[in-house]
Amino acid sequence: MNLVTVIVTLVQVILFAALAPLLVGVMRQVRARLEGRAGAGVWQPWRDLRKLLGKEPVRARGSSWMLRAGPLVLVLSSLVLAALLPLVTTVAERLVTGDLFVVVSVLLIGAVALALVGLDAGTAFGGMGSSRHMTVLALVEPTLLLAIYALSIPTGSSDIATIVEARLEDPSIIVSPVGLLAMAALVIAVVAETGRLPVDNPSTHLELTMIHEAMLLESSARDLAWLEFGSWLKLGALLGLVGNLLVPWGVATSTDALPVLVGAAAAGVKVLVLGALLAAGEVLLAKLRLFRVPELLAGSFVLAFLAVAVSAMVS
Amino acid sequence: MTPVYWGLLAEIVLAGAAAAFAFLPGERARSRLAGGTCAALGAAGVVTGVLAMTGGAGGLEIAVAVPVEPLRFAPDPLGGLFIVLASSVGLLISLAGAVSVHGAAASRTAWLALPLFLVGMQLVPAAADAPSFLLVWEAMALGSTILLLAGHTASRRVSSATVWYAVMSQLSFLLIVAGFAVLSAAAGGTSFAALSSVSPTSAPAAVAVVLLVLGFGSKAGLVPLHVWLPRAHPEAPSHVSAAMSAAMVKMGVYGILVVVVRLVPGGPDWWGILLLVLGGVSAVYGILQASIASDLKVLLAYSTTENVGLIVLAIGASVLLSAHGVDAAAGCALVAALLLAVSHAVFKVTLFLAAGSVLHATGERNLDRLGGLGRRMPWTAAAFGIAALGAAALPISSGFVAEWMLLQSLVHGTRVDGVPVSVTVSIAMPLVVAVVALTAGLGVLTFVKAYGIGFLARPRSAAVAEAHESPVLVRVVLVIAAAGVVLLGLVPGPLATAVASVLPGGPEAVVATAGLLGVDLVAFDAILDPVALVLLAGVLATLVVAATVQAAWRHPQRIDASVWGGGGLRAQPRMQYTATSFAEPVVRVFDDVLQPARDVEVTHAGESRYLVNRVTFSQSVTDLVERGLYRPVLRVVDRFGVLARRIQNGSIHLYLTYSFIAIIVVLVVATL
């Protein structure tokens, strides 16, 4: 741990914090254009955040400190996520080792905070959202951990930086059948984890179909700003992870200035391109019925299981 | 006359003193004195256990009148760990019990049974031969049965729960006696040292292991022998259910560990598979039942089954891996099993004591009628919340460290130097990881439900709105226990090293302290450093908190809004989501396993088919294992009982005839 690694980690966190609202702006704009609308412009999420932070929060009678603390915990978990993942650089001596199981548990902390915010005010909608959210999360967990297992096999380590480095050195891991199966499972898990189509519709206005949005109904002003920002940052960081696993080129392997700059630029481009692709894909998809979601997740679980079982048997 | 000798002697003397105080008149004096002495008994146990863990030799021999060998108590380091575990739980629950019990739970009988139960539990891991082990095992079972029966006049369910518990614990005892008998016959001695001479590949070892695993598994609450748990835990007084769940079921785990680590180590791989299947099924089934339970203590009871399942699964993984020569991962899995046991003891004692406070304050265990307790019972809510983090295996809690270590040992179990070891392991490990992951996911859901429905939101019944905080000493105990959950999660390095040092291999090859008191799994080069993680989060938090404080300075909040009701003023507390509705998606997804019975009754207003007056919904989930496995057996037993009644119809003439026939038979047999 030295000053340079601290600076590099900060660069990565600030880059992704700045990028997350832009990413959502790009995704909404792509979606709007494909649907034949003009769209609000790619900077609209930034303007929304500024507006929300400058407003007076209105909180329901009977709500507790959870309504205030929950959003902060969610943002914090996303920030820690952005610091732990090898998004810009993969240098080994980072502040905290980015073990994938730790990453998943940090994700879970944010999800739990969000679910508790949903339950706090004591409404039917909030409880509904948080119940569905936790159910989806519980069912994603096996897929997610098995995908991690499959990814860790070629390197014998669950440290995410080591995994990305191994893929950089030997790209054949990425296109091997095992690698593709694991990535497919991981992508489905990420889509479920971040509440995108077909699991959840982020732009729905009907309470009965909501998952993520239903938990936010009682939040306003800065509470809402943090909840939105935390979720966007989570999406950005996870897309960055998928990007670096699929296309590891460009990521910095040292802490020198030039590679880090290149790494930052590459990470930004990867995240925005992946986001645009995801948005384009979402235009073609309808939301699944809630009770069809387990089938989707079971399918991705099978992919992950095949990936592990096959890779464990062939050396 | 070693320190361990004095420690064990002190335990027995203190238990006797506590039993003597139980005869005092006056509920208050009795509870304070007997409870205080029980706490001292726990403290003595902690000291003895630590001495034994650090290699303190010696022990206690009690000569008995009958011409057999004396009873011998000489704990080894592994036993020492479990003595510490049982004693610290005993210490905490005695303190809480001394100030919080009333009525039947504070009777002379109950206070007489508690020291018997506690001392039995503390001596089980100290026993050095099979007869001593069985004797204190029965003391533990007897003490807990009497304690469970404390409230039998208040509710009929208590006596039914006690019958279930007594039958299951005697069944477990019989299996254990049979298991030890088989081993002793093969070894030619009853001391543990003699028993360990049996070859693990011999037939007697196989028979004994199956018998012992089933016997200990019943005490530990493994599926399908778990049926007593969700009955006994809710009906026992809360401090007793805390001790039963946090410490007593661990004695079952200790038993299994003694068998596979101390008596017959190095068993064939099917032992591992047996344990993996028992543990995996228990973990998933337990957490599934917990996730849909609405009764807070039933939820905690099923979560005990889940956690014990995970521990046994870790032991199983260790046996399987070491049978296939993956020694590093096997050692790591065994340390993970011990960490899971320690961590479960700490958070479960907190959860049960907090649930006891809630029950005491509101008279309500049903989550569907709780709510908003965080405001009225802040200390209890905070302790429950922290312990729930541990139960959900989230950082920074002891539960997370243990589960992380288990997962690490599993993902590194399939290969040695990059070469797969065997097809069995290659198939088993991913399945086990999936089981652990599903358990973890449902665990998070369960404890979000327990905390979110119980302590957040608005009160769902009048009694809950009037709730009051528990006595000061109970709050202190809750805070200590909850601090333990966080502390053990913050310093996994020293903890794991201490825990690993009680195993035959020692800690060197498995774990080491790295970074800021973090843990390093030496063989896999995997490091977990919670303090660094907290520091990182702290640095990042300053930015967010600063922005929030600045915004709050300029725009203070307004707390007067009513909640969103879809456009209308629908803000009745009974319109909130309840625990039952929270778990509804899980019930639907796992419909085939849970098989819930639902009943919806719609009453129409007048003649109209379209105007609904009221809707009544009820749902009940019966334990599938109980319905499928136990009910048929009970029916057969019942039928035999009815048949037996025919030859015992109460007529004195018939009984005289029986006596006459019996005498004739005896005479005939004697003359032959």
Side-chain angles (χ1 to χ4, degrees), chain B residues 293-307:
Chain B
S294 295
D295 184 315
L296 187 53
K297 286 175 98 177
V298 171
L299 181 150
L300 294 179
Y302 272 118
S303 141
T304 303
T305 292
E306 173 231 338
N307 279 285

Side-chain angles (χ1 to χ4, degrees), chain A residues 54 56-57 59-61 63 97 99 109 120 122-123 127-128 130-131 134 141 156 158 207 218 222 226 311-312 314, chain B residues 375 395 404 408 412 415 420 437 444 457-458 527 548 555-561 563-564 575-577 582 585:
Chain A
E56 171 196 61
R59 293 172 178 140
R61 281 185 294 272
S63 61
T97 46
D99 186 277
I109 291 246
D120 187 48
T123 65
M128 190 170 71
S130 108
S131 153
M134 291 317 297
E141 199 72 358
S158 58
E207 291 96 335
E218 290 310 315
R222 51 180 173 272
W226 290 135
S311 70
V314 297
Chain B
R375 190 176 295 257
W404 176 81
Q408 285 289 355
H412 287 96
R415 294 173 171 230
V444 175
R458 287 174 291 162
I527 297 173
T548 310
H555 305 283
Q557 61 173 344
R558 225 174 70 203
I559 305 192
D560 58 355
V563 293
W564 176 242
M575 289 182 158
Q576 300 175 84
Y577 246 47
F582 194 88

Side-chain angles (χ1 to χ4, degrees), chain B residues 174-186 198-216 259 264 267-268 270-271 274:
Chain B
L174 286 180
L175 288 168
I176 296 169
V177 171
F180 275 135
V182 171
L183 265 190
S184 310
V198 178
S199 156
T201 46
S202 62
V207 175
V209 162
V210 171
L211 287 170
L212 287 170
V213 163
L214 287 180
F216 288 126
V259 174
V264 274
W270 66 264
W271 296 7
L274 172 74

Side-chain angles (χ1 to χ4, degrees), chain B residues 613-634:
Chain B
N613 196 14
R614 61 186 293 132
V615 180
T616 328
F617 172 83
S618 62
Q619 172 180 304
S620 66
V621 180
T622 46
D623 197 314
L624 195 63
V625 177
E626 189 184 316
R627 205 172 57 201
L629 191 65
Y630 287 79
R631 291 291 165 196
V633 174
L634 288 180

Side-chain angles (χ1 to χ4, degrees), chain B residues 386-438:
Chain B
I386 290 172
L389 275 185
L394 290 174
I396 43 166
S397 69
S398 51
F400 171 66
V401 175
E403 214 149 278
W404 176 81
M405 203 180 263
L406 175 59
L407 283 170
Q408 285 289 355
S409 65
L410 294 176
V411 300
H412 287 96
T414 36
R415 294 173 171 230
V416 174
D417 301 325
V419 183
V421 285
S422 84
V423 179
T424 319
V425 177
S426 295
I427 297 290
M429 287 302 124
L431 281 179
V432 175
V433 169
V435 163
V436 174
L438 184 63

Side-chain angles (χ1 to χ4, degrees), chain A residues 35 49 90 108 118 129 141 143 200 211 263 271 301:
Chain A
E35 287 174 350
L49 276 187
T90 63
L108 273 180
E141 199 72 358
T143 308
D200 183 15
I211 299 182
V271 168
F301 172 77

